[in-house]
Amino acid sequence: MGEPSELMESDVFQAYATYATVVLLKMLLMGPLTGYFRVTRKAFSNPEDARAHVGKGEENKKYLKTDPDVERVRRCHQNDLENIVPFIGIGLLYAMTGPDLSSALLHFRTFAVSRIFHSIAYLLPLPQPGRGGSWLIGMGVTISMAYRVLKTGMYL
Amino acid sequence: MGEPSELMESDVFQAYATYATVVLLKMLLMGPLTGYFRVTRKAFSNPEDARAHVGKGEENKKYLKTDPDVERVRRCHQNDLENIVPFIGIGLLYAMTGPDLSSALLHFRTFAVSRIFHSIAYLLPLPQPGRGGSWLIGMGVTISMAYRVLKTGMYL
Amino acid sequence: MGEPSELMESDVFQAYATYATVVLLKMLLMGPLTGYFRVTRKAFSNPEDARAHVGKGEENKKYLKTDPDVERVRRCHQNDLENIVPFIGIGLLYAMTGPDLSSALLHFRTFAVSRIFHSIAYLLPLPQPGRGGSWLIGMGVTISMAYRVLKTGMYL
């Protein structure tokens, strides 16, 4: 068994590792959720998928369609990609600037809660501005972390 | 206040942190830009968004439509995801291989300029090959960094 | 010439760097593949692209269309984004938890093979459950790595 890297001994980095893993897992699980809606709504993108789930024959062409629920999950997934990717990248650098633990936890927790709420608001759906608000909060966290990274040492 | 990680004391890593943050922020800002076009063009994907921005009533169904400007921003955002994600991942590893500072800066600066130019060329739009050229240059930077990572030590 | 970072001296981290670079390059190359199909199928999203590849004139509007082959490559690319991004982020943290080299290699190799097979199955296409199975295997690897990250030290 190897030794954990030194970075992992820092509380801030461990908090980053925890929250980064949680939000990435949350994002990853949108994939199976899309699959679930595709199968239950019988709305596929690929002929080979329709064939596997609905059976062969000419009539399975009608299952190559879009479905509002499937599209909703896909937009939610896409929004995750657009927002969680910058959090992961900038958050890693932020964790390496040596912030206070309390300040780092505030950033990470706010982001994780805002993104989990965002998915719930998207999928139910909740009326606006629930979803839009949580999206803006998550973006604000990422921008605040980016500010600290650039302030700690910019090398252009 | 914690201590910055040792990695952050390297000029190359600090340059990586700066440019990675800049291009991730640039990508992140495509989100609000999409929102701006959705609101001004009254072209929404979600009924709850149309309701929030145009008002209730049956007639707001007509605002659930696609708009060429909205779709253009979305394609630009998607291209960022497809190209900036590999840069962030491979660039981090590249920065850890200990390249010359001048060589690292050349890579990071070229990538950042090419992606900013790419967005401008996409959104105005400029005639080709402006956009295609900047896309290829950015990809070339990422492939060049990947080459160094694999040359420094491949462990298959 | 700078010195490689200490992390890079670890076999596990070097294996991560190798496989992360390989799967990111694989994902990056879906971009030019999409371009190839757009040009050969004459199916463009942007008027300026149709103009560059097919020539000016009113009739090039008919090349602003979707094509089944182009859409297939794009779905394959999107699936890469959705699955390779979590692997890159969680894999980095996993590599820092100090796993056995043999266990880390098992994770990285399984993921890389499953994603390369996934692209082949998507593009040929192979009948299901070839593609679905390789997608699930890749996801399983990422979840297994996430489990170890969270077990090593969760800081919520």
Side-chain angles (χ1 to χ4, degrees):
Chain A
M1 179 69 70
E3 284 291 302
S5 141
E6 251 175 68
L7 261 178
M8 274 290 184
E9 283 160 28
S10 131
D11 282 346
V12 166
F13 200 84
Q14 205 162 92
Y16 168 73
T18 304
Y19 284 98
T21 301
V22 166
V23 295
L24 285 172
L25 281 180
K26 191 219 81 58
M27 181 169 92
L28 194 63
L29 294 177
M30 303 305 286
L33 193 60
T34 306
Y36 168 79
F37 279 107
R38 282 203 184 283
V39 171
T40 55
R41 268 60 171 173
K42 295 187 180 165
F44 300 97
S45 298
N46 296 299
E48 67 269 28
D49 302 353
R51 216 168 289 133
H53 289 285
V54 195
K56 302 187 187 199
E58 261 312 295
E59 97 286 10
N60 83 24
K61 266 193 195 164
K62 73 177 178 201
Y63 300 118
L64 295 178
K65 60 178 185 194
T66 58
D67 171 90
D69 292 329
V70 172
E71 296 308 306
R72 185 172 281 277
V73 184
R74 291 181 63 214
R75 288 195 298 275
C76 183
H77 199 167
Q78 183 71 13
N79 195 280
D80 271 356
L81 271 172
E82 293 170 2
N83 289 277
I84 289 176
V85 164
F87 171 81
I88 296 297
I90 292 172
L92 174 70
L93 300 168
Y94 167 79
M96 296 169 85
T97 63
D100 285 332
L101 178 61
S102 60
S103 166
L105 281 171
L106 183 65
H107 281 83
F108 301 156
R109 285 174 181 158
T110 307
F111 186 83
V113 169
S114 77
R115 292 309 303 179
I116 291 167
F117 181 82
H118 181 272
S119 294
I120 296 169
Y122 217 142
L123 297 178
L124 283 180
L126 297 178
Q128 288 285 20
R131 194 186 89 230
S134 60
W135 171 64
L136 285 174
I137 289 170
M139 204 178 301
V141 169
T142 304
I143 291 170
S144 162
M145 295 192 307
Y147 175 74
R148 184 178 160 94
V149 172
L150 295 179
K151 210 186 64 174
T152 300
M154 217 186 317
Y155 201 120
L156 278 171
Chain B
M1 179 69 71
E3 284 291 303
S5 142
E6 250 175 69
L7 260 179
M8 274 290 185
E9 283 161 28
S10 131
D11 281 346
V12 166
F13 200 84
Q14 205 162 90
Y16 168 73
T18 304
Y19 284 97
T21 302
V22 165
V23 294
L24 284 172
L25 281 179
K26 191 220 82 59
M27 182 170 91
L28 193 64
L29 294 177
M30 303 304 287
L33 192 62
T34 306
Y36 167 79
F37 278 107
R38 282 203 184 282
V39 171
T40 55
R41 267 59 171 175
K42 296 189 179 164
F44 300 98
S45 298
N46 296 299
E48 67 269 28
D49 302 353
R51 217 169 287 134
H53 288 286
V54 196
K56 301 187 187 200
E58 262 312 295
E59 96 286 10
N60 81 24
K61 266 193 194 164
K62 73 176 179 203
Y63 300 117
L64 295 178
K65 60 179 185 192
T66 58
D67 172 271
D69 292 329
V70 172
E71 296 308 306
R72 184 172 279 278
V73 184
R74 292 182 63 214
R75 288 196 297 275
C76 183
H77 199 168
Q78 183 70 14
N79 194 280
D80 270 356
L81 270 172
E82 293 169 3
N83 289 279
I84 289 176
V85 165
F87 171 82
I88 296 298
I90 291 172
L92 174 70
L93 300 167
Y94 167 79
M96 296 169 85
T97 63
D100 285 334
L101 178 60
S102 60
S103 167
L105 282 171
L106 182 66
H107 281 83
F108 301 155
R109 285 173 181 159
T110 306
F111 186 83
V113 169
S114 78
R115 292 310 303 179
I116 291 167
F117 181 83
H118 181 272
S119 295
I120 295 169
Y122 217 144
L123 296 178
L124 283 180
L126 297 179
Q128 288 284 21
R131 195 187 88 231
S134 59
W135 171 64
L136 285 174
I137 289 169
M139 202 178 302
V141 169
T142 304
I143 290 170
S144 164
M145 295 192 308
Y147 176 73
R148 186 181 158 94
V149 171
L150 295 178
K151 211 187 62 175
T152 300
M154 218 187 315
Y155 201 119
L156 278 171
Chain C
M1 180 68 70
E3 285 291 303
S5 142
E6 251 175 66
L7 261 179
M8 274 293 185
E9 283 159 28
S10 131
D11 281 348
V12 167
F13 200 83
Q14 205 161 90
Y16 168 73
T18 304
Y19 284 97
T21 302
V22 165
V23 294
L24 284 172
L25 281 179
K26 191 220 82 57
M27 181 170 91
L28 193 64
L29 294 178
M30 302 305 286
L33 192 60
T34 306
Y36 168 79
F37 279 107
R38 282 203 184 284
V39 171
T40 54
R41 268 59 171 175
K42 295 188 179 165
F44 300 97
S45 299
N46 297 297
E48 67 268 28
D49 303 353
R51 216 168 288 133
H53 288 286
V54 195
K56 300 185 188 200
E58 261 313 295
E59 97 286 10
N60 82 24
K61 266 192 192 163
K62 74 176 179 202
Y63 300 118
L64 295 177
K65 61 178 185 191
T66 58
D67 172 90
D69 292 330
V70 172
E71 296 308 306
R72 184 172 279 277
V73 184
R74 291 181 63 214
R75 290 195 297 273
C76 184
H77 200 168
Q78 183 70 14
N79 195 281
D80 270 356
L81 271 172
E82 294 170 2
N83 289 279
I84 289 176
V85 165
F87 171 82
I88 297 297
I90 292 173
L92 175 70
L93 300 168
Y94 167 80
M96 296 170 85
T97 63
D100 285 331
L101 178 60
S102 60
S103 168
L105 283 171
L106 183 66
H107 281 83
F108 301 156
R109 284 172 183 162
T110 306
F111 186 83
V113 169
S114 77
R115 292 310 303 180
I116 291 167
F117 181 82
H118 181 272
S119 296
I120 295 169
Y122 217 143
L123 297 177
L124 282 181
L126 297 178
Q128 288 285 21
R131 195 186 88 231
S134 58
W135 171 64
L136 285 173
I137 289 170
M139 205 179 299
V141 169
T142 304
I143 290 171
S144 163
M145 295 192 308
Y147 174 74
R148 186 182 158 92
V149 172
L150 295 178
K151 211 187 61 173
T152 300
M154 218 184 319
Y155 201 120
L156 278 171

